[in-house]
Amino acid sequence: MRKFDQITEDYSRQPVPDSATVTGLRITVVMVGAVITLPIFFVAAQLGHSLGLRNAIIAFFVAGVFLAGLAGAAGVLASKTRLTTWLILKYSFGGMGAKIVSAFIGITVLGWYGATVEMFARAVVAIVRDLGGTPMDNRVYLIIASILMIAIALFGFKGLDRLSRLALPIMLVLLGSLVYTAISTFGILEQSVGEMPLSQGISATIGAFIVAVAMFPDVCRYARSSKDAVQASWLSFGLGVPIVLLLAAIPITLSGEQDFLKVILTIGLGVPGLVLLLLATWTTNAFNLYSSSLVFATIIERVQKWKLVIVVGILGTLVALLPILDNFLYFLNFLAALVPPLAGIYLSDYFVLNKQEYDAEDLKQLPAFRPVAFVAWILGSLVGLFANEGKIALTSVPAADAILTAFLIYTVLSYVLKNK
């Protein structure tokens, strides 16, 4: 058992040592593998249909620049501290305060794990039926998929790294073949501009990936240097995300069909489509499970992380099996609005207030709570929610409004209280 503990060591409660660090390209492969997922295919489909192909391309790459810039700052922080997102939050929220924040986010990630695997199981049933087979109960596919995801997440970043290096090239080839087949089937038509305004499309694209950016330190803590962290952020979010969205959006706009899964079935890519969905769900949910276990490792400090992976994986599977999931998704969307402001807070604390100087030993001497961080978090989240409803408009991007608000409030209040 001790040997297994060593094999699955993921440095969830301490800085990553130099011997375990990797290049920026390796981090990119893990991150791009994580963002290729069934829910994102549906986001790309909706945006491609609503914007039209030309505006969709602009929206994807403009949003990619914003995401990459923010991810670059978070990545530099992570590469210098070598800590998880949740340990980094201890500096600004305090020891107990960070646990409270982590509990909220842990529920969010756990819920999305369940939602993604359940969506995959339904898609498998549809594809098997379309191929003329007799599908098993979708719960069988769901449980099998969860077992595969838990098996990878047990080994932490090392498991994600190996899976992504194997799966990413296959997924890109399959997406490319989907685009080629769609062009051959429907032809290249002149695409009109959709009904959705370009600014709204950019905002929606940013919103779809902003949680991944805020949690980027979870993988970027393995970067060998700040240069590798910046490289990974731009290759992942500045280039990888727009390309993945574009590959998913092209078949939608050419076919006129709004359902990504129906496009796969219409052009007769049942088996390749099934492989694509399997790999996409596997890499993404293994990442979700990895991140969720890091969250709970911050809260439950005496249990080895690989054991938490199993428990969290079982809980996520139960969430997917229960009939509460459809209603639970509204709650998850609300909780997701709480994540972006955290990035504004930890970036302010590290780059502005502490001048890029964190000492890992300080983690043992932090106060239990830092109220300023909670004030900034709550106000930033409220601004983000109101901006999403159109009641407030600072930057026209609700997630950016939330981050900016939290950043400014945390910075100003911290300086005021320090001077007093």
Side-chain angles (χ1 to χ4, degrees):
M1 187 62 70
R2 184 173 297 177
K3 186 176 181 180
F4 188 74
D5 292 341
Q6 294 174 349
I7 295 174
T8 56
E9 174 59 54
D10 197 35
Y11 314 104
S12 56
R13 302 180 180 100
Q14 64 200 70
V16 174
D18 290 340
S19 59
T21 56
V22 299
T23 64
L25 186 59
R26 295 265 293 275
I27 295 171
T28 299
V29 172
V30 171
M31 204 66 228
V32 175
V35 301
I36 299 179
T37 177
L38 187 55
I40 293 303
F41 293 159
F42 284 102
V43 169
Q46 183 179 6
L47 291 175
H49 177 78
S50 302
L51 290 168
L53 187 56
R54 286 174 294 176
N55 274 1
I57 293 173
I58 297 173
F60 296 159
F61 281 93
V62 171
V65 170
F66 175 87
L67 292 167
L70 186 61
V76 168
L77 192 167
S79 67
K80 291 186 176 182
T81 63
R82 302 276 175 82
L83 298 174
T84 68
T85 307
W86 320 108
L87 288 179
I88 290 171
L89 286 174
K90 282 191 173 185
Y91 288 99
S92 49
F93 281 87
M96 186 58 65
K99 289 185 178 183
I100 294 174
V101 174
S102 298
F104 277 101
I105 308 308
I107 294 172
T108 306
V109 180
L110 180 63
W112 284 121
Y113 172 91
T116 301
V117 73
E118 198 268 348
M119 188 181 296
F120 165 75
R122 290 184 185 180
V124 172
V125 170
I127 292 176
V128 172
R129 186 175 289 120
D130 182 77
L131 293 172
T134 302
M136 295 182 287
D137 190 295
N138 69 331
R139 291 172 292 186
V140 175
Y141 299 120
L142 190 154
I143 292 172
I144 293 173
S146 286
I147 292 172
L148 293 174
M149 296 157 195
I150 291 172
I152 293 298
L154 280 175
F155 299 94
F157 182 83
K158 295 188 290 288
L160 296 178
D161 182 34
R162 293 182 181 180
L163 174 62
S164 297
R165 278 191 283 168
L166 171 66
L168 182 59
I170 298 174
M171 288 192 290
L172 291 177
V173 169
L174 290 174
L175 279 171
S177 67
L178 175 61
V179 171
Y180 175 79
T181 306
I183 292 174
S184 301
T185 303
F186 304 109
I188 301 177
L189 305 176
E190 182 67 24
Q191 297 296 319
S192 60
V193 176
E195 298 177 355
M196 178 183 289
L198 178 59
S199 60
Q200 187 177 341
I202 295 172
S203 176
T205 305
I206 292 173
F209 294 94
I210 197 65
V211 172
V213 170
M215 296 165 61
F216 192 44
D218 286 345
V219 292
C220 221
R221 62 197 176 107
Y222 278 91
R224 288 180 179 174
S225 65
S226 297
K227 182 179 179 180
D228 285 296
V230 173
Q231 179 190 57
S233 67
W234 282 94
L235 288 178
S236 298
F237 294 98
L239 188 62
V241 164
I243 289 177
V244 169
L245 290 171
L246 183 58
L247 291 176
I250 288 175
I252 290 293
T253 56
L254 295 182
S255 67
E257 174 61 61
Q258 298 185 45
D259 189 325
F260 184 81
L261 182 58
K262 287 184 179 179
V263 173
I264 292 177
L265 299 178
T266 299
I267 61 181
L269 287 181
V271 174
L274 181 60
V275 174
L276 173 62
L277 296 181
L278 172 61
L279 293 177
T281 307
W282 197 1
T283 53
T284 300
N285 253 9
F287 180 85
N288 285 339
L289 189 53
Y290 162 78
S291 293
S292 185
S293 62
L294 288 178
V295 173
F296 289 106
T298 305
I299 302 171
I300 308 170
E301 298 180 351
R302 295 187 179 182
V303 178
Q304 288 155 323
K305 179 177 164 287
W306 68 266
K307 296 178 181 178
L308 293 174
V309 169
I310 296 175
V311 173
V312 172
I314 292 173
L315 290 175
T317 304
L318 290 175
V319 168
L321 290 170
L322 294 175
I324 64 170
L325 184 60
D326 290 338
N327 294 325
F328 191 44
L329 289 176
Y330 294 104
F331 182 55
L332 291 179
N333 282 319
F334 168 75
L335 289 182
L338 304 180
V339 179
L342 297 177
I345 292 169
Y346 69 61
L347 290 175
S348 168
D349 193 75
Y350 181 73
F351 286 102
V352 179
L353 300 178
N354 286 282
K355 311 297 183 184
Q356 302 186 47
E357 291 291 338
Y358 273 173
D359 188 343
E361 291 299 316
D362 291 342
L363 287 173
K364 303 174 184 178
Q365 305 171 7
L366 292 171
F369 292 96
R370 284 188 165 161
V372 171
F374 280 94
V375 172
W377 183 37
I378 292 170
L379 293 179
S381 299
L382 288 174
V383 168
L385 289 170
F386 287 141
N388 195 48
E389 295 177 1
K391 297 179 180 179
I392 297 176
L394 301 179
T395 65
S396 77
V397 180
D401 292 348
I403 293 171
L404 180 61
T405 300
F407 182 95
L408 293 175
I409 290 175
Y410 183 76
T411 302
V412 172
L413 288 182
S414 296
Y415 273 122
V416 169
L417 292 177
K418 183 179 180 180
N419 290 334
K420 285 188 176 182

